[in-house]
Amino acid sequence: MATTAQLFEEPFDADEYIERLAWRTPGGGSKGGAEAFDPKRLLEEFENHIEELKQLDEKIQRRVEKLEHQCHREAKEFAHKVQDLQRSNQIKEAADIIQKLHLIAQELPFDRFADVKAKIASKYHDLERQLIQEFTAAQRRGEIGRMREVAAVLLHFKGYAHCVDVYIKQCQEGAYLRNDVFEDTAVLCQRVNKQVGEVFSSPETVMAKLIQNIFENKLQAHVKEKLDETRHSDVEQYLKNLYDLYTRTTALATKLTEFNLGSDKHTFLSKLIKNIFSSYLESYIDMERDYLRSRGAMILQRYYDSKNHQKRLIGTGSIQELKERIRQRTNLSLGPVIDTHGETFLSPELVVNLLQETRHAFERCHKLSDPSDLPKNAFSIFLLLVDHLCVEHIDYALEIGLSAIPSSDAKNANLYFLDVVQQANSIFHLFDKQFNDQLMPLISSSPKLAECLHKKKEVIEQMEVKLDTGIDRTINCMVGQMKHILATEQKKTDFRPEDENNVMIQYTTACSKVCVYVSRQVEHVRKSMDGKNVDTVLTELGVRFHRLIHEHLQQYSYSSMGGMLAICDVAEYRRCAKDFRVPLVLQLFDTLHALCNLLVVAPDNLKQVCSGEQLTNLDRNLLHAFVQLRVDYRSARLGRHFS
């Protein structure tokens, strides 16, 4: 018979159990059965069965102990829960009672109920302290439900605000570990925002108080530390730090607007930012201007030092203005001509540095200026740029360039002023781009716009006067160089050869050298100018070139073969004039070419030639003057053709 627990189920009879065991054992029955009674075998069966019963007993005992232990543990846990619920109820009940007593005690006269009032107040404060301690412990354990229960009870106590303060303090513990206070703040607020709605009845108030606490403590201390360490030692770094900190703070505030912070969260956050930065922003523009002034002066001085150049003092006032007017009208230098050895004293690197510093200043100005002060502050930065770039650099280079232009009768002069023009124009384009891209957006809707445009116009006009003066004097020098070539190379015998029948050249040496020189200058002008300025300057140079050749040809008398050479020279001059790509200049040389035909045409054909398309509208005296240059003028009595 298998020994199992089922054998001992109620009702249990021991005698019956033994009898059944003996009967089932072969030779163990009381009557012997089919087999004779065998006491040894029965004893052996009883001993085996007793051993099985012992093992079953141990197994059942272990199971009982396990169940007893489990039952004991569950009973203990249940008791704790009951205890907690009872305690929770007593807190709520005690809080309700003490709250009511506290309110009633306020109405009791002090002289008669001083002791009672004191006991109620003491109990009120004790219970309030216990509640806050319970809330603090629950927060550390992360028990949101318990925090919510205690906060709901404390809501009617004066200490509720202190409970919020404790929450705000504890939720910041361990939150700033990345060494990036702005990123840490964003992560902290994101996490807390999810929690306060589960704990407090007015989560927007708690979030606003948390953010205020962070701004007034963590952020303000961070900003002060970063700015105070450079404010007096490194102004450039201070301005960079101020811009970076203010930008990151405003960006953080923008992120925080996604949370519910009350009805006017934008004004709330703006005030917090203002409280941190107001003392720094008040002095910002003065520091910006002082930095730009000293930085610009340093950049300029460093450049001139690299050139071993001591800046000349450019005169100002009425005497200088008088000199300028005389110089413009007479082309006199009114001062010693200096040799700059081709140096323009204009530096692209310097210009880039100045513009870059100004660009950073405009960016900081845009971010750090009060909106009402922005146009005024931006204009003050612009004036510094004008002073450093336009006056101290470009204008100075133009003055030096003007002083270096030689007189019109100088020989082999280095006409580098066109290089000054080219670089000045390139620089001014960069200046103009910064004006449009960075200054205009800051002032476009303010009265300062007109002032800025006027200042820019004034600067342009002053530069244009000097550029025009320098270009005019440079063209005079070019013409003077041509005149020198002609005076040196042109021989009287060129147009009255001794052997009329043995002339082998196509055009004179003087003509060839002048054309080479002119072509070189035309190319120089094209490289130095842009836009309509190219045509304007080449037109002026071409007209003066024509006038020079016209007057030059009138200094000689011409034989028949000499007249042919003059026509060949003018044809070469006309070919050179095509490089100007200016219709007026080409037309002038076409007319001059037609005039030269008067030097060789047969006397009887003069009237017909003078009536031709190119000469018919010219002054008769001019035609007569050319005819008088012929060596046969008097002998052939050509004057009668103009009577």
Side-chain angles (χ1 to χ4, degrees):
M1 182 174 62
T3 306
T4 63
Q6 282 79 5
L7 293 173
F8 301 96
E9 292 179 354
E10 295 294 337
F12 177 74
D13 187 333
D15 292 338
E16 183 182 352
Y17 178 80
I18 294 172
E19 185 65 30
R20 193 183 318 131
L21 179 62
W23 181 79
R24 293 175 64 91
T25 302
S30 57
K31 295 180 180 180
E35 297 182 17
F37 176 71
D38 188 350
K40 290 183 179 180
R41 190 170 184 181
L42 182 61
L43 176 62
E44 183 182 349
E45 183 65 27
F46 277 172
E47 288 175 348
N48 290 338
H49 195 71
I50 289 170
E51 188 62 35
E52 288 180 4
L53 287 175
K54 286 181 179 178
Q55 292 177 3
L56 178 61
D57 180 62
E58 290 176 0
K59 183 177 179 181
I60 292 173
Q61 189 61 36
R62 287 197 298 271
R63 185 177 177 190
V64 168
E65 289 175 357
K66 182 179 180 181
L67 289 173
E68 285 178 347
H69 180 72
Q70 182 178 347
C71 182
H72 180 70
R73 187 179 70 249
E74 289 178 355
K76 191 174 182 180
E77 290 176 356
F78 181 74
H80 278 306
K81 286 183 180 178
V82 171
Q83 191 177 15
D84 286 344
L85 288 172
Q86 288 175 341
R87 187 170 64 248
S88 173
N89 253 355
Q90 293 167 359
I91 284 174
K92 290 180 181 177
E93 290 173 4
D96 185 53
I97 293 170
I98 199 65
Q99 176 69 16
K100 290 177 180 176
L101 287 173
H102 184 71
L103 291 173
I104 293 170
Q106 304 302 312
E107 306 297 327
L108 297 175
F110 182 79
D111 53 347
R112 293 175 55 192
F113 299 96
D115 290 342
V116 174
K117 289 168 69 76
K119 289 179 180 179
I120 292 173
S122 175
K123 187 64 177 176
Y124 179 92
H125 292 305
D126 286 345
L127 185 58
E128 186 179 68
R129 186 177 63 257
Q130 291 174 20
L131 286 168
I132 292 173
Q133 289 174 349
E134 177 62 24
F135 181 89
T136 302
Q139 183 180 0
R140 285 183 174 150
R141 294 192 302 267
E143 297 175 355
I144 302 299
R146 185 63 181 150
M147 291 168 65
R148 180 171 58 249
E149 290 174 359
V150 178
V153 175
L154 274 169
L155 183 61
H156 305 290
F157 281 76
K158 294 179 180 179
Y160 178 74
H162 184 55
C163 172
V164 173
D165 291 339
V166 168
Y167 173 79
I168 287 172
K169 180 181 178 182
Q170 286 199 165
C171 69
Q172 293 182 64
E173 291 177 358
Y176 293 93
L177 302 174
R178 289 189 188 82
N179 200 28
D180 186 339
V181 66
F182 299 99
E183 185 62 29
D184 285 340
T185 297
V187 172
L188 169 64
C189 291
Q190 191 73 42
R191 173 171 57 81
V192 172
N193 185 62
K194 295 177 181 177
Q195 192 178 81
V196 291
E198 301 176 3
V199 175
F200 298 98
S201 59
S202 300
E204 69 280 2
T205 304
V206 179
M207 278 302 296
K209 198 165 186 180
L210 168 66
I211 290 171
Q212 182 176 353
N213 181 274
I214 292 171
F215 270 70
E216 292 178 351
N217 294 284
K218 200 72 180 178
L219 291 184
Q220 187 153 14
H222 178 72
V223 168
K224 187 176 188 303
E225 178 188 2
K226 287 290 184 182
L227 294 181
D228 286 0
E229 66 185 14
T230 56
R231 189 168 192 171
H232 302 293
S233 60
D234 188 343
V235 178
E236 179 182 11
Q237 191 60 48
Y238 168 80
L239 290 170
K240 289 180 179 178
N241 288 348
L242 177 59
Y243 175 78
D244 179 66
L245 290 167
Y246 189 82
T247 300
R248 297 197 69 189
T249 303
T250 53
L252 173 63
T254 301
K255 283 184 182 179
L256 298 179
T257 56
E258 69 183 63
F259 305 131
N260 183 7
L261 305 176
S263 58
D264 196 357
K265 53 189 172 185
H266 294 284
T267 302
F268 168 69
L269 290 167
S270 295
K271 286 182 178 178
L272 293 179
I273 294 172
K274 185 177 180 181
N275 289 340
I276 293 177
F277 289 97
S278 59
S279 62
Y280 303 105
L281 297 182
E282 286 172 0
S283 60
Y284 155 69
I285 194 61
D286 292 331
M287 296 189 74
E288 186 73 83
R289 282 197 299 260
D290 289 344
Y291 167 71
L292 277 179
R293 192 176 291 110
S294 61
R295 179 67 175 168
M298 185 272 287
I299 291 173
L300 286 163
Q301 190 59 50
R302 187 171 59 191
Y303 167 71
Y304 294 115
D305 287 346
S306 72
K307 298 294 181 182
N308 292 321
H309 175 75
Q310 182 67 40
K311 287 190 75 173
R312 300 174 60 200
L313 183 62
I314 304 299
T316 58
S318 57
I319 296 178
Q320 180 67 17
E321 291 172 2
L322 176 61
K323 285 183 176 182
E324 185 62 32
R325 286 198 295 271
I326 294 173
R327 182 170 66 179
Q328 291 175 26
R329 295 187 179 184
T330 64
N331 258 326
L332 297 175
S333 64
L334 299 179
V337 175
I338 64 172
D339 186 1
T340 62
H341 304 288
E343 175 60 62
T344 64
F345 289 105
L346 289 170
S347 166
E349 181 182 359
L350 177 147
V351 172
V352 168
N353 287 338
L354 285 177
L355 291 176
Q356 187 173 7
E357 291 290 350
T358 310
R359 177 173 63 83
H360 293 322
F362 280 136
E363 289 173 351
R364 290 191 291 263
C365 178
H366 188 194
K367 179 66 71 172
L368 302 176
S369 295
D370 186 273
S372 61
D373 294 331
L374 177 58
K376 176 184 66 176
N377 292 348
F379 181 62
S380 67
I381 292 172
F382 171 68
L383 290 180
L384 286 171
L385 176 63
V386 168
D387 185 55
H388 290 141
L389 181 61
C390 299
V391 177
E392 293 295 327
H393 193 56
I394 301 177
D395 191 70
Y396 177 75
L398 293 178
E399 285 287 348
I400 295 295
L402 287 172
S403 300
I405 297 176
S407 61
S408 59
D409 57 355
K411 300 173 183 178
N412 300 317
N414 181 6
L415 303 181
Y416 88 103
F417 188 80
L418 290 181
D419 297 334
V420 177
V421 173
Q422 177 189 14
Q423 293 186 26
N425 280 334
S426 298
I427 291 170
F428 199 80
H429 284 317
L430 296 175
F431 168 81
D432 193 48
K433 187 176 188 316
Q434 187 170 79
F435 181 92
N436 294 324
D437 293 350
Q438 293 174 308
L439 176 61
M440 284 294 287
L442 307 184
I443 61 168
S444 57
S445 58
S446 78
K448 282 292 178 184
L449 175 61
E451 200 171 345
C452 283
L453 291 173
H454 175 74
K455 184 64 179 178
K456 179 185 172 186
K457 182 173 180 288
E458 182 180 77
V459 169
I460 292 174
E461 288 176 349
Q462 290 174 353
M463 289 175 56
E464 284 181 341
V465 166
K466 291 178 180 176
L467 287 169
D468 290 346
T469 300
I471 291 170
D472 185 70
R473 291 174 60 193
T474 298
I475 292 175
N476 280 343
C477 287
M478 292 176 180
V479 174
Q481 190 66 26
M482 298 178 213
K483 188 181 293 186
H484 173 69
I485 294 172
L486 291 171
T488 304
E489 301 294 338
Q490 197 82 71
K491 306 294 188 293
K492 289 185 178 181
T493 56
D494 285 345
F495 303 114
R496 294 181 66 179
E498 296 178 359
D499 186 354
E500 290 278 329
N501 297 319
N502 194 24
V503 177
M504 302 299 294
I505 59 174
Q506 295 179 330
Y507 41 79
T508 65
T509 301
C511 170
S512 175
K513 290 188 176 182
V514 166
C515 287
V516 169
Y517 178 79
V518 170
S519 296
R520 194 162 60 242
Q521 302 314 310
V522 169
E523 186 63 26
H524 196 176
V525 170
R526 289 197 185 282
K527 289 181 179 178
S528 305
M529 305 288 170
D530 57 5
K532 294 181 179 179
N533 292 330
V534 176
D535 290 341
T536 301
V537 173
L538 288 181
T539 298
E540 185 63 28
L541 176 60
V543 168
R544 296 191 198 184
F545 173 37
H546 166 267
R547 185 185 304 129
L548 172 66
I549 300 303
H550 186 280
E551 292 173 354
H552 173 70
L553 291 174
Q554 290 183 312
Q555 298 176 32
Y556 300 93
S557 59
Y558 299 85
S559 65
S560 176
M561 183 54 66
M564 292 299 295
L565 276 174
I567 290 174
C568 290
D569 275 6
V570 173
E572 185 65 12
Y573 290 134
R574 184 174 62 175
R575 185 197 63 75
C576 181
K578 289 181 180 178
D579 293 342
F580 286 72
R581 301 173 201 165
V582 178
L584 173 61
V585 175
L586 190 58
Q587 180 184 343
L588 289 173
F589 277 96
D590 284 343
T591 302
L592 182 59
H593 188 269
L595 280 171
C596 287
N597 285 331
L598 298 177
L599 300 176
V600 298
V601 71
D604 294 339
N605 294 333
L606 278 174
K607 278 191 176 182
Q608 180 183 353
V609 174
C610 290
S611 302
E613 181 181 352
Q614 290 181 312
L615 300 180
T616 187
N617 295 323
L618 294 182
D619 184 87
R620 302 293 287 179
N621 292 328
L622 175 60
L623 299 176
H624 195 186
F626 255 81
V627 173
Q628 286 178 320
L629 299 177
R630 294 169 58 133
V631 294
D632 61 351
Y633 173 74
R634 296 193 180 281
S635 61
R637 299 178 64 192
L638 298 179
R640 60 189 172 84
H641 293 283
F642 293 89
S643 59

